[in-house]
Amino acid sequence: MARKKILVTGGAGFIGGNFVQYMVNKYPQYDIYNLDLLTYAGDLTKHRNFEQKKNYHFIKVDIADRGKIMSVFKKEKFDYITHFAAESHVDRSITDPEIFVRTNVLGTQVLLDAAKQINIEKFVHVSTDEVYGELDFDPTTFFTEETPLQPNSPYSASKAASDLLVRAYHETYGLPVNITRCSNNYGPFHFPEKLIPLTISRVLNEEMVPVYGDGKNIRDWLHVIDHCAAIDLVLHKGIHGEVYNVGGHNERTNLEVVKTIINTLGKSEELIKFVADRLGHDKRYAIDPSKLENLGWKPTYSFETGIAQTINWYLDNKWWWEQIISGEYKEYFDKQYSLKAKVN
Ligand code: NAD
Ligand code: TYD
């Protein structure tokens, strides 16, 4: 196979970080370029086991910095771009939407402009099922690629805007793109502001676990390694201009997720604290993955096997998450949840 250059934006974050590791190991004949600003959500310690490898490279740049991005693209002629970099946390988008527009919308547009100037084979834009809005609790309804975009949070609105720009660059300039829309990921190196790693880390420290509203909202959980395999497939086999949904059939209420973690760790359900609901809290997400399955994707984890693997990973890798939950994170947590502690 020919030597290829792959740009992975956001490769110091949760999913991008797992994808970088997956690609570095699977394709020694490819050069993997991790481009990341290293915001609060990005760290390079997660790459310490392979950052010496010859096919791994790191570039610290802001995707919304047009001048710097253009210089990077002048120097390196990438064959593929997988675009993960984003502001990704819904709660943060509710308190501070502006950075979501800058990074997710403007940053994506800058990358599209840069990609347009070189002869790339594929630009994969990693998006979210949240752009479709919410489903009700009828278990027979699912998001398909044809579901209209109806984002409800500033985060999902910024992702929907970026999806539409990616689509427009395909229609207008013929850029070879794919858009993937995945459900909620979980697995190793998940930043502990999101439900699953927040619950695991807090239960291990015997601290209260905040559950929004009545805990009955439903998410469709996708193990990050199954997501990486999906992106790899779409990168190599996706039909230009197509959207692919990733995930499916691992739906759980938030309360079920939290109780599973508490029970697996042998702790008390009294750690659960119901707090004020998230503003505009989407009721349910659920994916119909048929289109991607027809392309050849098959997940390897059920929720049961995936959550067991993930809990074990957090038990074995305290060095990673303990460095995060002190300092700046602590300030974020206290601010976010002191507002919510009023109910109950
Ligand atoms: P994350 O927050 O863990 O990581 C984001 C990464 O992007 C970080 O390394 C951060 O430093 C980097 N970044 C942020 N702003 C940047 C900028 N201006 N320039 C360069 N780098 C910047 O996010 P994640 O959970 O890994 O999500 C990755 C992608 O997948 C995002 O596009 C997100 O919208 C999408 N997604 C995530 C989920 C999920 O469950 N986590 C679900 C659906 C879609
Ligand atoms: P989250 O992990 O933030 O992902 P997303 O908002 O992208 O789905 O939240 C998952 C679900 O868990 C969501 O319904 C909100 C809920 N949640 C809580 O109940 N408590 C929490 O502390 C957090 C962070 C989330």
Side-chain angles (χ1 to χ4, degrees), residues 10 12-16 36-39 41-42 61-63 84-86 88 103 126-128 155 159 182-185 194:
F14 164 46
I15 308 174
D36 199 296
L37 181 61
L38 300 181
T39 67
V61 171
D62 178 353
I63 55 165
F84 295 86
S88 71
T103 298
V126 179
S127 189
T128 168
Y155 161 68
K159 291 297 290 188
C182 64
S183 57
N184 286 59
N185 282 221
K194 308 279 170 67

Side-chain angles (χ1 to χ4, degrees), residues 152-284:
N152 293 319
S153 70
Y155 161 68
S156 53
S158 68
K159 291 297 290 188
S162 64
D163 287 19
L164 294 181
L165 281 168
V166 173
R167 180 192 136 79
Y169 273 63
H170 173 70
E171 296 296 327
T172 306
Y173 308 110
L175 201 70
V177 307
N178 285 121
I179 297 171
T180 58
R181 296 187 179 133
C182 64
S183 57
N184 286 59
N185 282 221
Y186 67 103
F189 295 116
H190 200 182
F191 194 85
E193 66 186 349
K194 308 279 170 67
L195 181 68
I196 287 183
L198 181 143
T199 302
I200 299 173
S201 55
R202 291 189 65 82
V203 170
L204 282 173
N205 286 337
E206 310 231 4
E207 291 168 326
M208 73 86 174
V209 178
V211 172
Y212 297 165
D214 59 10
K216 291 192 179 137
N217 300 59
I218 291 175
R219 297 294 183 261
D220 182 353
W221 293 97
L222 168 68
H223 193 281
V224 67
I225 294 304
D226 285 331
H227 187 196
C228 291
I231 303 288
D232 181 15
L233 179 69
V234 170
L235 183 66
H236 292 99
K237 299 262 168 65
I239 296 165
H240 294 178
E242 293 291 313
V243 175
Y244 296 94
N245 286 350
V246 193
H249 312 310
N250 282 299
E251 290 178 47
R252 297 289 183 281
T253 66
N254 294 336
L255 205 49
E256 283 169 338
V257 169
V258 168
K259 285 187 176 176
T260 300
I261 294 168
I262 289 177
N263 294 328
T264 306
L265 290 169
K267 305 285 182 180
S268 165
E269 289 185 6
E270 283 179 13
L271 288 173
I272 295 171
K273 184 168 178 60
F274 290 97
V275 299
D277 210 352
R278 172 185 280 174
L279 298 178
H281 196 173
D282 285 337
K283 286 200 236 357
R284 173 173 167 260

Side-chain angles (χ1 to χ4, degrees), residues 15 129 176 212 313 326:
I15 308 174
D129 60 359
Y212 297 165
W313 187 89
S326 55

